Amino acid sequence: MASRPPVALDAVVVEEEIEFSFVDLCHACGAERGHVLELVQEGVLEPSGNSPDDWRFSGPSLRTARVALRLDHGLELGPSGAALVLELLAEIEQLRAKLRRAGLR
């Protein structure tokens, strides 16, 4: 049996309870403020607070932002394309969960 090459993973485990400020999320993602702002405008990220200066992002927002930025830059989808892909991926996961609960998968 042939061995498979190792798979590179870019995974970060972040607690649900952790919150990021706008600046902290930009830094953690390695993204410019403008890119993260576009993700907020597209509805990909939903911070609490009224303005970027007091926005707070949940822990899972880090993963969402990283995936969206990878889609935006890597596949050149733009923020709106990345938002659509993330929405479709979430829908696929919901359908898979329903199949598992029904014992069909």
Side-chain angles (χ1 to χ4, degrees):
M1 177 184 258
S3 65
R4 292 184 175 178
V7 177
L9 298 176
D10 182 19
V12 174
V13 177
V14 178
E15 299 283 332
E16 282 279 333
E17 298 81 28
I18 289 179
E19 287 190 338
F20 295 94
S21 69
F22 180 54
V23 172
D24 291 340
L25 184 66
C26 293
H27 179 72
C29 294
E32 295 179 16
R33 292 172 60 108
H35 288 126
V36 175
L37 183 58
E38 288 175 333
L39 295 176
V40 171
Q41 291 170 340
E42 287 295 331
V44 172
L45 299 173
E46 297 178 0
S48 61
N50 297 320
S51 70
D53 289 335
D54 54 74
W55 278 349
R56 303 302 293 173
F57 296 87
S58 65
S61 294
L62 176 59
R63 181 185 181 284
T64 301
R66 285 183 168 183
V67 171
L69 291 165
R70 195 172 309 125
L71 289 167
D72 182 8
H73 298 299
L75 298 177
E76 299 179 8
L77 295 178
S80 59
L84 177 60
V85 169
L86 287 171
E87 184 179 320
L88 293 172
L89 289 172
E91 189 172 327
I92 289 168
E93 184 53 39
Q94 288 172 353
L95 292 170
R96 286 181 176 160
K98 284 182 182 180
L99 287 172
R100 283 191 299 273
R101 284 192 301 271
L104 301 172
R105 183 154 195 248

